[in-house]
Amino acid sequence: MSEGKEAKIIVIAGLPGVGKSTVLSIARKRLENEGIKVEVVNFGDYMLRYLMDKGLVKDRDEIRKLPLRIQQEAQAAAGRMIRVYFNERASRCEREFIGFVDTHVLIKTPTGFWPGLPLHVISELRPASILLVEASPEQIVARQLRDKTRFRKDYADVKLVKELMDLMRVYAISAATLVGASVNFIVNEEGRPDVAADHVVSIVRNL
Ligand code: AMP
Ligand code: MG
């Protein structure tokens, strides 16, 4: 077992409802079949735990409405905790290890658009690549409306979704440039998450 191994990290982002989780779960199975150990963490889970411990929120859709200063504090904490966790997992792993971080490159807050991967976060994560999962705005809105477990009315409008998708490319590229990560746009077409997953697998193979 090698101590102090740096985990190879990939950031995966996309609008809520774009199908990140579906694509990742298929990609993960394929990579594990090739002998690569894959772990996925959700950035929002880390922020949520941090904020719930302080009694500041009860659910994840409250996070983006908190005062920005508090979101920033939770965001920084999440970045640090994820890097520590993945390095520890990689150190214990005999096989090649890839840690995926499911997150957002852009958050729509009451104070304006806010980067999900500012310098203090991206420099902790130091991802090899940032994957932006994309689908048609109409499909994304339909999926969000179908998801009764989440409150996402603030994202459920085709025109807004289009605007956000354009902005997300800009934010993904900006974050990647800070640490020299590659950027990939992964198309998750309706009914074909396997095609998107293949794209993810081929990127990981070439890292
Ligand atoms: P999710 O379930 O992936 O939509 O994440 C839940 C919430 O966590 C999001 O709505 C955001 O408020 C917050 N969040 C997730 N990733 C980030 C990030 N990188 N920076 C800031 N907030 C984030
Ligand atoms: Mg998801």
Side-chain angles (χ1 to χ4, degrees):
M1 207 187 296
S2 59
E3 286 303 321
K5 205 159 105 184
E6 261 285 273
K8 216 179 256 179
I9 292 182
I10 296 182
V11 165
I12 182 157
L15 273 175
V18 76
K20 273 177 297 181
S21 320
T22 310
V23 171
L24 259 189
S25 74
I26 300 170
R28 177 190 193 150
K29 274 189 210 116
R30 292 187 185 167
L31 289 164
E32 297 249 1
N33 283 339
E34 295 182 15
I36 299 171
K37 172 73 185 154
V38 175
E39 274 203 47
V40 181
V41 301
N42 180 290
F43 198 98
D45 284 350
Y46 279 78
M47 287 182 68
L48 183 62
R49 220 173 301 143
Y50 179 90
L51 292 164
M52 279 176 76
D53 285 349
K54 294 190 180 300
L56 293 170
V57 292
K58 288 189 206 65
D59 80 65
R60 52 207 305 125
D61 288 315
E62 287 174 16
I63 300 175
R64 64 181 179 274
K65 291 150 197 161
L66 283 170
L68 192 58
R69 167 180 60 80
I70 296 173
Q71 292 187 56
Q72 283 166 336
E73 176 189 318
Q75 184 193 43
R80 280 193 303 273
M81 288 189 285
I82 290 170
R83 166 51 73 186
V84 168
Y85 173 74
F86 273 154
N87 279 357
E88 204 230 313
R89 301 297 291 163
S91 297
R92 288 168 190 281
C93 184
E94 302 290 337
R95 290 181 282 158
E96 185 179 353
F97 178 93
I98 302 279
F100 282 95
V101 183
D102 175 343
T103 188
H104 301 284
V105 290
L106 165 63
I107 297 99
K108 199 171 146 265
T109 78
T111 60
F113 295 123
W114 180 49
L117 302 168
L119 181 60
H120 62 277
V121 175
I122 200 77
S123 59
E124 287 285 350
L125 297 177
R126 297 183 295 284
S129 190
I130 298 178
L131 314 183
L132 198 54
V133 182
E134 300 182 328
S136 87
E138 289 76 11
Q139 285 166 7
I140 292 173
V141 170
R143 287 179 207 159
Q144 284 180 17
L145 293 175
R146 255 184 271 138
D147 183 356
K148 301 289 177 219
T149 67
R150 296 287 300 269
F151 181 82
R152 289 163 171 167
K153 280 209 184 64
D154 48 349
Y155 282 116
D157 168 78
V158 171
K159 201 164 144 265
L160 173 66
V161 163
K162 271 201 189 103
E163 186 196 350
L164 287 173
M165 286 178 63
D166 289 342
L167 281 174
M168 282 174 50
R169 287 189 166 207
V170 175
Y171 276 77
I173 293 163
S174 304
T177 300
L178 296 174
V179 293
S182 65
V183 173
N184 289 277
F185 306 120
I186 310 288
V187 182
N188 184 27
E189 211 185 293
E190 187 71 23
R192 297 310 307 271
D194 54 311
V195 175
D198 271 340
H199 189 180
V200 174
V201 170
S202 81
I203 291 159
V204 172
R205 277 198 206 113
N206 287 297
L207 279 181

